Amino acid sequence: VKKAQASVAQAKEASDARSKLESDIRALQSQLDDAQQRAVLAEQREKEARRALNVLAGGAWSTIGGCTCQQSFSFGGQSFHGCTTSTANALASGSPWCVVDSDTCGTPLGDGQHFDLCSIPTTNGCTCKANFMSKGKPYSSCIELGSAGKPWCKVREEGCGDRNADGAWWDYCLKPTEQGCTCRREYSVPGVAKPISGCTSAPAKPKGQPWCKVDDGCGLQASGGDWWDYCT
């Protein structure tokens, strides 16, 4: 009887120990899950903060939503460089857009890629603010207030363009090219060390007016294969 009682006691001790161990494991797993959730939330907040900073700071490859454009991408069987007005993406409704470098920013295209709308480029390589105020009125696109025929906007980048009386930076908006193409945001030209934003006069083209590189299939094709067009 004593042996039986001892065996029962030992079994109970083992069961209690196993129960405590299982309880400890569940508690540790709960702590691990909480830590992982906090890490995911922290990563999301960091990404949101970076996007908000990109919206404010701007830059040639920063979209209106703070995403970053891929400099080259393919969609619908076509190749693009930076922002494009291609109607291949009906979701953009005709506005300039680009495929972005993250699957957590922008809008899904349905092929595993995400896109976002591009900010409007200016003649000095700045980018327009999505929303800005001028003389007490709100605007969300280029305006001709005080400059008929020469649309302008307030820009996101400090020190880019010109500064007006209230201290805000602004620049003239970059219009479509002669053949309705869109200038690439940045591109290289032989003999020029730095990437070019907007239009350039070097090297000179036959008509002697500023030009820019554009998306493939629009404008004129150079002997080297690149496409370009005259700026308006």
Side-chain angles (χ1 to χ4, degrees):
V1 174
K2 289 182 178 179
K3 287 183 178 180
Q5 290 175 337
S7 295
V8 170
Q10 289 175 352
K12 186 177 183 306
E13 288 178 2
S15 177
D16 290 344
R18 183 169 57 251
S19 296
K20 185 177 184 307
L21 180 59
E22 291 173 348
S23 177
D24 290 343
I25 291 173
R26 285 194 297 270
L28 288 172
Q29 185 62 53
S30 178
Q31 291 175 10
L32 178 61
D33 291 342
D34 288 343
Q36 289 175 334
Q37 278 189 328
R38 287 196 296 271
V40 169
L41 287 173
E43 184 178 4
Q44 290 175 343
R45 288 169 182 161
E46 181 183 1
K47 288 179 179 178
E48 289 170 0
R50 285 179 179 173
R51 288 172 198 157
L53 180 61
N54 285 342
V55 169
L56 293 173
W61 301 107
S62 177
T63 67
I64 61 173
C67 311
T68 301
C69 284
Q70 289 189 22
Q71 296 187 25
S72 298
F73 60 90
S74 297
F75 179 72
Q78 297 177 272
S79 297
F80 302 97
H81 302 279
C83 295
T84 177
T85 54
S86 170
T87 55
N89 175 16
L91 295 173
S93 302
S95 297
W97 62 278
C98 67
V99 167
V100 299
D101 65 357
S102 170
D103 60 3
T104 60
C105 192
T107 304
L109 279 167
D111 62 352
Q113 300 184 107
H114 283 59
F115 85 96
D116 195 19
L117 299 181
C118 297
S119 54
I120 299 171
T122 69
T123 56
N124 284 300
C126 322
T127 55
C128 292
K129 288 184 175 181
N131 298 283
F132 60 93
M133 300 286 293
S134 183
K135 295 188 176 180
K137 293 184 178 180
Y139 296 96
S140 58
S141 62
C142 298
I143 59 176
E144 296 186 12
L145 186 64
S147 60
K150 298 183 69 176
W152 63 275
C153 67
K154 289 188 178 180
V155 300
R156 300 188 293 179
E157 299 84 357
E158 288 287 324
C160 191
D162 292 301
R163 203 168 194 173
N164 61 19
D166 64 3
W169 291 88
W170 68 277
D171 196 17
Y172 290 111
C173 299
L174 189 63
K175 298 179 181 179
T177 64
E178 283 190 349
Q179 298 189 44
C181 312
T182 301
C183 290
R184 294 189 194 176
R185 290 302 172 101
E186 283 186 353
Y187 54 91
S188 59
V189 172
V192 179
K194 294 182 178 180
I196 294 174
S197 297
C199 300
T200 181
S201 296
K205 295 294 185 182
K207 291 169 65 172
Q209 67 189 64
W211 60 277
C212 66
K213 286 188 178 181
V214 298
D215 283 332
D216 293 350
C218 189
L220 307 167
Q221 190 171 23
S223 57
D226 286 331
W227 291 81
W228 66 279
D229 195 17
Y230 289 109
C231 297
T232 55

